Structures are given as C-alpha cells and as structure tokens.
Amino acid sequence: MDRQQRRRQWERTVEPGLLAASLLFLAAYSVRVLVPDLSPGWHAFWAIVTAVTWAVFIADYLARLLLSDHRLRFARRHWLDLMVTVLPLLRPLRMIDTYDRVQRRRDHPRLALEARVMTYAGLTALLLGYAAALAVYHDEHHAPHADIRTFGDSVWWAASTLTTTGYGDATPVTPRGRVVGVGLMFVGVALVGAVVGSFSSWLVRRFRQDGEA
Amino acid sequence: MDRQQRRRQWERTVEPGLLAASLLFLAAYSVRVLVPDLSPGWHAFWAIVTAVTWAVFIADYLARLLLSDHRLRFARRHWLDLMVTVLPLLRPLRMIDTYDRVQRRRDHPRLALEARVMTYAGLTALLLGYAAALAVYHDEHHAPHADIRTFGDSVWWAASTLTTTGYGDATPVTPRGRVVGVGLMFVGVALVGAVVGSFSSWLVRRFRQDGEA
Amino acid sequence: MDRQQRRRQWERTVEPGLLAASLLFLAAYSVRVLVPDLSPGWHAFWAIVTAVTWAVFIADYLARLLLSDHRLRFARRHWLDLMVTVLPLLRPLRMIDTYDRVQRRRDHPRLALEARVMTYAGLTALLLGYAAALAVYHDEHHAPHADIRTFGDSVWWAASTLTTTGYGDATPVTPRGRVVGVGLMFVGVALVGAVVGSFSSWLVRRFRQDGEA
Amino acid sequence: MDRQQRRRQWERTVEPGLLAASLLFLAAYSVRVLVPDLSPGWHAFWAIVTAVTWAVFIADYLARLLLSDHRLRFARRHWLDLMVTVLPLLRPLRMIDTYDRVQRRRDHPRLALEARVMTYAGLTALLLGYAAALAVYHDEHHAPHADIRTFGDSVWWAASTLTTTGYGDATPVTPRGRVVGVGLMFVGVALVGAVVGSFSSWLVRRFRQDGEA
C-alpha cells in the first residue's frame, strides 16, 4: 500500500518534467532530421539532448517499476509504457494521463466531455502524424525510386494517411517507412474515428438543445 | 448586461445581411477564378463586390467585439469568428447559427433532429468542398506537372477528398493547394462523419418504429 | 381521408409488381450494356422491356400523385420518388418500404433490428454499386485514355468506391462517369456507414449478452 | 433435446482442437506460399498437414450437422460455418465463439466490454488481413504487369485496404486477386469500424470517469 502511494506521488511529481522532456526529444529529433548540415557543435548538442531525455524516460520507467508491489504485474499491465520508453516518438499515446492532470489543476470549469475527447484524440493524432512524417522523411528521401522527396511530401502523405484518404501520389517504398506507415494507419484510423465520433455527438447535442430552448 | 443584450440584438439584425454577403463573396470569387478573361468593367465590378463584402465581415466582427463586456475574452472564445473574417471562404463553418435562426423563424414544425444535423453538416461540407475546389483550381491549373487542369478535375478531387475515398488520380502539387487539401480532409472527415452518423441513427429509428407499429 | 386510404391501398397492391419491374429494368439495362452484339430481335425485346417497365414506374407515380389530397405537398415531400421515377437505376433507394412490407408479411419472427438495418443498407449499397458499375462501364469503356476497359474493372472500381478505399488504379475519366462516381461516393459512404454502425452495435450487444450469461 | 445437448458438448470438446487445426492450416498455407523451393519431403509434409486439417474441419461440420434435430435448419442457419469449412482461410470469422469460451474459462475478471470487442474484431481483422495478403501474393507475384511482387507489397496492400486508406500504389490485377480484395474491403470496413467504435466509446467512458472522480 505504502509503495503504491509512493508510486502515485512519483508519477504526479515528475509529470511536468516528463512532458517537457517529450517535447525536447521531439525537437531534437526534428532538428536532426530536418537540418542535414548542422555544425559539429550543434550536432553534439542535439545528440546529448536526445540521449539525456531518453535516459530520463528509462529512469522514470524503472522508478515506477521499482515502486510497484507486484513488478511482473506492473510490467504486464503497463506494456504500453515499456513500448513508449523504447520508442519515445510514440510518447503522445501516453499523453492521456498528462492531459487529464493538466486539466484538473486548472480552476475554471473544464471543457465539455466531447471537447476533451476531441482535444486529446486530435492532439495525439497530430503529434503522432508529425513524428511519423519526420520518421518517413528520414527513411525515404534518399531511397532510390522514392516518391517522398521533401518534408512537405511527407506531411502531405501523413495527413492523407491519418484521415484514411490515402491518395497514393506519394507513399513510402522502404520497409522501415512502410512499417511506420502501417502503424500510422491503424493508430490514425482509431484516433481520427474518436475525433469524428465526438464531433458528431457534440453537434447532435447542440442541435438538441436548440430544439428544446 | 446591457451591452451583451445589444450584441445579441446586433447579431440577430445583421444575420440575413451577412448571409447575403457570404453568398455574394462566394459568387465574386467563383467568377474571378472561373472566368479568366473578364472585360475590365466586369473585373472591376467583381473586385469591388469582393472588397465591399469583405469590409462588411470585418465591420461585423469589430462591432461585436466593441459590444462585448470583456473584449479579450470575446476574442479568445470566438477565435473561429476571427479566422472566418480573415478567410471568408471558410464562412460556411459559422453557418450553424444562421441555419438555426432560419429554422426557428418558420412556423411549421421543424425537421427531426437527425435531418437537421444532416442538412447542416451536409450543406457546410458541400459549400466548403466547392470553395476548396475553386481555391485548388485557382492555384493548380497553371502549375507545372499539375494533375488538376480543369475545374471538373478539381470538383472530382474535392468529392473524393470529402468522402475520404482519395483516388489520387488528380491531386494538388503546389504547397498552397496542398494546404487547402489538408484542411478539406480534416474538416471533411468530421462533417461527412456527422452526416453518416445522423443518417445511420435516422435509419435505425425508422426501422425501430416499423418494428413497434 | 378517403383518398389517402385509397393511396395506401394502391401502394400495398402494386408493391410486388413494382419490385418485379425494378428487377426487370435492371436486367434489361445489364443485357444492353454487357452484351454488345445482340441480334436485332433480342435488341428489340430488351428495348421494349425497358420502355414498358419505365412506363410502369411513371404510371405508378402519377397514380399516387392523383390519389393524394394535396398534390403539391405530395410532390414536394416525395421528391425522391420523382427522382427515382426519372432515373430508375436509383430505385434501390426506395427499397426501404418494399423491404419492410416483405418482412412484415412473413410469419416467423423478424430479424433483429441491427440485422434488418444491415440487410437493407447492404442490399441497397450492392444494387446501387452494381447499377453504377454498369453505367460507368457503359460510358467509359470506349472513351480515349480510359482506365476502365472491362466490366471487371468497373466492378473493382465500384467496390473500392463504396467502401471509400479508393485505390485510384482505375477511375472514370468522362464527365458522365464522374458524375455517377460522385453520386456513388456520397450514397455509398452513408449506406456503408450504416452497415458498419449496425454491425458494430450488433457485435457489442452480442458480447454484452455473453458477459451477463 | 438430447441431441441438441450432445451437439453443445461436442462443440465444447473439440474447440481447442479446432483452434489448433486452424493455426496449423494457416501455417501450412504460409509455408507453401512463402517458401517456393521446399524439398520434396517438406512439401509432402505440409501438403499432408493441409489435407488433414481440412479433413478435420469437414468432419466437425458433418458431426454437428448429424447431431442436429433439424438438419436443414442447421444448414440454413449456419451457412457461415459451411462457407468457413469450404474456405478455411476465412476461419477467423468464426473465432467469436472460441474467443468467448477461452475468456470464460479463465478465473480472473474478464476484460471490459469495449476491450473484448476490440480484441475480437482486431484479431479477426489481422488474421483475415494476413490470410488475404498470402492469397493475393500467391495469385499476383507471377502475373504479368503485377504491382504486388513481394510479400511485403502484399502486406502493405492488405493494411491499406483494411483501414480503407487505399493508396493504390500496389493493387491486385488478376481476377482472383481482386475477388479476395473485394472481400477484404467489405469485411475489413466492418471489423475495423467495430474496433474504432469500441475504442471511441472506451475513450469517452474513460474521460467521463475522470470528470466524475
């Protein structure tokens, strides 16, 4: 019991730090992918930022594991946390806790249920889409016979994948790019589906109120 | 309190004028995009229509801002109104108020809830799709290596984007055209999702009534 | 009141005949599109079938119009019936009444609500998809630069359109083919959305029962 | 009554064996499609595995048919079972019973309703997608003018089909491959729709609890 409480407290304490670390990690990854000819000094700087933030994620996971009463059960139940620690670009998937705590801390009335679901699912989809566009651009833009040559192409591809439009005018051709693409399709279809569903029920509720007023 | 009431009254009074101005703006934009060799007189005429209607939108926004008790809060809460004032082609997104007031003024019984959601979301999607088709045709049809050469191509692209079909046989290639495309994908997936959801629940309700009758 | 009742009775009486006429019309259209070199005798036969069934649809619409108390209101409320009379390939859209009456006539317990919605929306989508595949094949297969050369291509295109997959490996290029395509996209997205929604809620209900049992 | 009970008992008894047989069948099919130059010994081995597992499926169907009081009604009601016996690659469609019984046998509290629907529909979609990728690769990779040349291409096509993204950069061109594709589109759109719906309602429920806590 005692340990469980200490874990909860730990999670509450490190939350803002982890959020900052996630954004730093994404910034470092963005710079390294999008700016090809960094000066050696800057290159080292961003490499260190990547290493430090990654170490922070691993330390956090281990701390929570050690503060659990049943470590095996913790590992099994929080498999998503482990995955997100190994592949920090997937961090937005865990944002649901952060997002909720940030909302809770503020005093003024919170958003309506649908607006919260839309904000959470929409932000997560946007962050994952951006991360996927970076990863695919990184893998593809030097590949032979690639369609995706600029970061703009990659963002265009990511948007058409997230919304399941799928034009197919620019698609990944390398195995790694396609693995990222398959992941984005499945995660995107679920998150964007949640946004659409919430928007739809918000619209229905709004029209219903008008009808009663 | 007094001011708030005066703002409400203002909104009610200018509503029909704003709707007319929106349609005029769209008409002017359509003519300028679709008719390339206007005579100088007509060109000036439609340029003036564009300028006047745009000025009307800006005047309306400023009037409502000035009639608010808390101007900063008004600006923050009605950020969509500001966006729609800057980019009048997005006006259909604000049609929800107009649509509702028009419905309210009529005496005979209003449409069922689902029909109202379908009509609103469907009309908005159609108008936005038409505006997007115009904007993309405008940007693309002279671009090198463009797929979208005629307005028909552009409408075909807009329809396949709104329904998330996304054939990809004709897609924008210019940065501006693609920005419009990304916007249409996200707005379209939400609005068309709302139409589909309402149609679906209307169908279920209809079959349920049959079962009971 | 009297007239209204007579209209209802008329509708109930001619229902089976109209269903048969719809299927005959579709059969005649299929033969004329898919069998290019009919002997003159057969050609005349199927042309007569088309003409007679079409005349039946027009006669039915006029009869119902005449049997209405308020003809203008009938025409305005049943605009879909008029459209379906002018374009008989869209008849499946009106199948909802027929389908329901056929169900009602049978003695054994009717299908569950979700199964009825799925059957109706699914059948309608299939029939419309088939009609659209025929119409597009008819318009496209002789067009220059067409992708859709065989009826198989056209069915493949219709399936990928109905499910909003939209590969784009074969798409209509003629204006008429594209108009049919836009119609199929919008009708398809609504009907297939209804099938998916009903399947989804059937699945949830089935798992809920298992949980309680 | 007695017979009905014996059928139920039979179904419960053979369930684990059938599940194992299904996985064996899929393994045998995978090896035969993906490893083109098996040694004659291994070739014979996997051919025998295929034949034996198929025989098991047929024997199970016949046993259940014979143990039914009303055989014609059994055949009519369980038409999906017959289809699945003839085309064992579609077996995952029948997994709903197996899945539920496995869940029921375990002691610890079962998953939440949404999680169960997501797990069932998601697993079924994945297995069918894998089977479809194998079948399409088998039919296509030697076809002239084929886009799908490697198993990787086929998996990429199956993922973009299941999520209705439909890039169209690699699509089946043979009639048999397209029949598989049409099946995957329709089954995929329904199953993935169910996953998305369940994820959406799980997310809404989770946010609602947070709001109340």
Side-chain angles (χ1 to χ4, degrees):
Chain A
M1 210 55 179
D2 216 48
R3 240 186 206 157
Q4 207 75 358
Q5 285 177 338
R6 264 192 289 159
R7 176 152 73 89
R8 293 257 164 81
Q9 208 191 328
W10 168 271
E11 286 173 3
R12 237 168 309 151
T13 314
V14 300
E15 195 103 10
L18 279 180
L19 184 60
S22 304
L23 295 177
L24 259 179
F25 185 90
L26 196 59
Y29 187 68
S30 303
V31 170
R32 294 172 73 195
V33 169
L34 297 179
V35 189
D37 36 4
L38 282 170
S39 73
W42 278 110
H43 192 276
F45 172 76
W46 288 111
I48 289 166
V49 168
T50 305
V52 169
T53 48
W54 207 332
V56 166
F57 299 144
I58 294 169
D60 169 64
Y61 182 78
L62 291 178
R64 289 167 64 209
L65 186 66
L66 293 174
L67 288 169
S68 297
D69 286 324
H70 305 279
R71 274 157 211 174
L72 208 71
R73 205 159 72 185
F74 176 86
R76 225 170 40 209
R77 280 217 188 139
H78 296 72
W79 58 269
L80 190 61
D81 288 18
L82 180 57
M83 207 171 87
V84 147
T85 308
V86 176
L87 293 168
L89 282 180
L90 293 177
R91 288 238 131 213
L93 286 176
R94 287 306 299 144
M95 236 175 51
I96 189 165
D97 295 327
T98 312
Y99 172 75
D100 202 65
R101 267 172 218 144
V102 168
Q103 279 267 336
R104 222 172 263 183
R105 227 163 266 161
R106 301 167 75 170
D107 279 341
H108 72 75
R110 299 156 86 204
L111 291 169
L113 181 61
E114 289 103 345
R116 269 150 63 212
V117 175
M118 278 173 74
T119 312
Y120 164 70
L123 272 183
T124 306
L126 280 186
L127 276 178
L128 286 178
Y130 177 68
L134 281 174
V136 162
Y137 170 68
H138 184 52
D139 284 346
E140 296 280 324
H141 75 293
H142 284 321
H145 310 297
D147 289 326
I148 297 175
R149 299 235 151 261
T150 67
F151 186 58
D153 291 342
S154 195
V155 168
W156 176 244
W157 163 81
S160 92
T161 300
L162 269 178
T163 57
T164 76
T165 310
Y167 291 121
D169 53 353
T171 49
V173 296
T174 63
R176 273 180 45 172
R178 285 186 169 182
V179 167
V180 174
V182 169
L184 189 64
M185 274 180 229
F186 282 98
V187 168
V189 82
L191 287 170
V192 172
V195 173
V196 171
S198 298
F199 172 75
S200 207
S201 69
W202 171 81
L203 208 64
V204 168
R205 201 158 57 83
R206 165 131 197 203
F207 274 95
R208 182 172 290 138
Q209 288 171 340
D210 284 346
E212 284 161 3
Chain B
M1 208 55 179
D2 217 49
R3 239 186 208 158
Q4 206 75 359
Q5 283 177 337
R6 262 191 291 158
R7 175 152 73 89
R8 292 256 164 82
Q9 208 192 325
W10 168 270
E11 286 173 5
R12 236 166 311 150
T13 314
V14 300
E15 195 102 11
L18 279 181
L19 183 60
S22 304
L23 295 178
L24 259 178
F25 185 90
L26 196 59
Y29 187 67
S30 303
V31 170
R32 294 173 74 196
V33 168
L34 297 179
V35 188
D37 35 5
L38 281 170
S39 72
W42 278 110
H43 192 277
F45 172 76
W46 288 112
I48 289 166
V49 169
T50 306
V52 169
T53 48
W54 207 332
V56 166
F57 299 144
I58 293 168
D60 169 63
Y61 182 78
L62 291 178
R64 289 167 64 208
L65 187 66
L66 292 175
L67 288 170
S68 297
D69 286 325
H70 305 281
R71 273 155 212 175
L72 207 72
R73 205 160 72 187
F74 176 87
R76 224 172 40 211
R77 280 218 188 139
H78 296 72
W79 56 269
L80 190 60
D81 288 18
L82 180 57
M83 206 171 89
V84 147
T85 308
V86 176
L87 293 167
L89 281 180
L90 292 178
R91 288 237 131 214
L93 287 176
R94 286 307 301 143
M95 236 175 51
I96 189 164
D97 295 327
T98 313
Y99 172 75
D100 202 64
R101 267 173 216 142
V102 168
Q103 278 269 335
R104 222 172 263 182
R105 226 163 267 161
R106 300 166 75 169
D107 279 339
H108 73 74
R110 299 157 84 204
L111 290 170
L113 182 60
E114 290 103 346
R116 268 150 63 212
V117 175
M118 279 173 74
T119 310
Y120 163 70
L123 272 183
T124 307
L126 281 186
L127 275 179
L128 285 178
Y130 176 69
L134 280 173
V136 162
Y137 169 69
H138 185 52
D139 285 346
E140 296 282 323
H141 75 294
H142 284 320
H145 309 297
D147 288 326
I148 296 175
R149 298 236 152 261
T150 67
F151 185 59
D153 290 344
S154 196
V155 168
W156 175 245
W157 163 81
S160 91
T161 300
L162 270 178
T163 57
T164 75
T165 311
Y167 291 123
D169 52 354
T171 49
V173 295
T174 64
R176 272 180 46 172
R178 284 186 169 183
V179 167
V180 173
V182 169
L184 189 64
M185 273 183 231
F186 282 98
V187 168
V189 83
L191 287 170
V192 172
V195 173
V196 171
S198 298
F199 172 75
S200 208
S201 70
W202 171 81
L203 208 64
V204 168
R205 200 157 58 82
R206 165 130 196 203
F207 273 95
R208 183 172 290 137
Q209 288 171 339
D210 284 346
E212 283 161 4
Chain C
M1 208 54 180
D2 216 49
R3 239 186 207 158
Q4 207 75 357
Q5 283 178 338
R6 263 191 290 157
R7 177 153 72 89
R8 292 258 163 80
Q9 209 191 326
W10 167 271
E11 285 173 5
R12 235 168 311 150
T13 314
V14 300
E15 194 103 12
L18 279 180
L19 183 60
S22 305
L23 296 178
L24 259 178
F25 185 90
L26 196 59
Y29 187 67
S30 304
V31 170
R32 294 172 74 194
V33 169
L34 297 180
V35 189
D37 36 5
L38 282 170
S39 73
W42 279 110
H43 192 276
F45 172 76
W46 287 112
I48 289 166
V49 169
T50 305
V52 169
T53 48
W54 207 332
V56 165
F57 299 145
I58 294 168
D60 169 64
Y61 182 77
L62 291 178
R64 289 167 63 208
L65 186 66
L66 292 175
L67 288 169
S68 297
D69 286 324
H70 306 281
R71 273 155 212 175
L72 208 72
R73 204 160 72 187
F74 176 87
R76 224 171 40 209
R77 279 217 188 140
H78 296 71
W79 56 270
L80 191 61
D81 287 19
L82 180 57
M83 206 172 88
V84 147
T85 307
V86 175
L87 293 167
L89 280 180
L90 292 178
R91 289 238 130 213
L93 287 176
R94 285 305 301 143
M95 236 176 51
I96 190 164
D97 295 326
T98 313
Y99 172 75
D100 202 64
R101 266 171 218 146
V102 168
Q103 277 269 335
R104 221 172 262 183
R105 229 164 263 163
R106 299 166 76 171
D107 279 340
H108 72 75
R110 299 155 85 203
L111 290 170
L113 182 61
E114 290 103 346
R116 269 149 63 209
V117 175
M118 279 174 74
T119 311
Y120 164 69
L123 272 183
T124 306
L126 281 186
L127 276 178
L128 285 178
Y130 177 69
L134 281 173
V136 163
Y137 169 69
H138 184 53
D139 284 346
E140 296 282 323
H141 76 293
H142 284 320
H145 309 297
D147 289 327
I148 296 176
R149 298 235 152 262
T150 66
F151 185 58
D153 290 344
S154 195
V155 169
W156 175 245
W157 164 80
S160 92
T161 300
L162 269 178
T163 56
T164 75
T165 310
Y167 291 121
D169 52 353
T171 49
V173 295
T174 64
R176 272 180 45 172
R178 284 187 169 182
V179 168
V180 173
V182 170
L184 190 63
M185 274 181 229
F186 282 97
V187 168
V189 83
L191 286 170
V192 172
V195 173
V196 172
S198 298
F199 173 75
S200 209
S201 70
W202 172 81
L203 209 63
V204 168
R205 200 157 58 83
R206 163 129 200 203
F207 273 94
R208 183 171 290 138
Q209 288 171 339
D210 284 347
E212 284 162 4
Chain D
M1 210 54 180
D2 216 48
R3 241 186 205 157
Q4 207 74 357
Q5 283 178 339
R6 264 192 289 158
R7 177 154 72 90
R8 292 257 163 81
Q9 208 191 326
W10 167 271
E11 285 174 5
R12 236 169 308 149
T13 313
V14 300
E15 194 103 10
L18 278 180
L19 183 61
S22 304
L23 295 177
L24 259 179
F25 185 90
L26 196 60
Y29 187 68
S30 304
V31 170
R32 293 171 75 193
V33 168
L34 297 179
V35 189
D37 37 4
L38 282 170
S39 74
W42 279 109
H43 192 277
F45 172 77
W46 289 111
I48 289 166
V49 168
T50 304
V52 169
T53 47
W54 207 331
V56 165
F57 300 145
I58 294 168
D60 169 64
Y61 182 78
L62 291 178
R64 290 167 63 208
L65 186 67
L66 292 175
L67 288 169
S68 296
D69 285 326
H70 306 280
R71 272 155 212 174
L72 208 72
R73 204 159 73 186
F74 176 88
R76 226 172 38 211
R77 279 218 188 140
H78 296 73
W79 57 270
L80 191 60
D81 288 19
L82 180 58
M83 205 171 88
V84 147
T85 307
V86 175
L87 293 167
L89 282 180
L90 292 177
R91 288 239 129 212
L93 287 176
R94 286 305 301 143
M95 236 176 50
I96 190 165
D97 295 326
T98 313
Y99 172 74
D100 202 65
R101 268 174 215 141
V102 168
Q103 278 268 338
R104 222 171 262 183
R105 228 164 264 161
R106 300 167 76 172
D107 279 340
H108 72 74
R110 299 155 86 203
L111 291 169
L113 182 60
E114 289 103 347
R116 268 149 64 210
V117 175
M118 279 174 74
T119 311
Y120 165 70
L123 272 183
T124 306
L126 281 186
L127 276 178
L128 285 178
Y130 176 69
L134 281 174
V136 162
Y137 170 69
H138 185 50
D139 284 346
E140 297 280 324
H141 76 293
H142 283 321
H145 310 297
D147 288 326
I148 297 175
R149 298 234 152 264
T150 67
F151 185 58
D153 290 344
S154 195
V155 168
W156 175 245
W157 163 81
S160 91
T161 300
L162 269 178
T163 57
T164 74
T165 310
Y167 291 120
D169 52 353
T171 48
V173 295
T174 63
R176 272 179 48 172
R178 285 186 169 183
V179 168
V180 174
V182 169
L184 190 63
M185 274 181 228
F186 282 97
V187 168
V189 83
L191 286 170
V192 172
V195 173
V196 171
S198 299
F199 173 74
S200 209
S201 69
W202 172 81
L203 209 64
V204 169
R205 201 157 58 83
R206 164 128 199 205
F207 274 95
R208 183 171 291 138
Q209 287 171 340
D210 284 348
E212 285 162 2

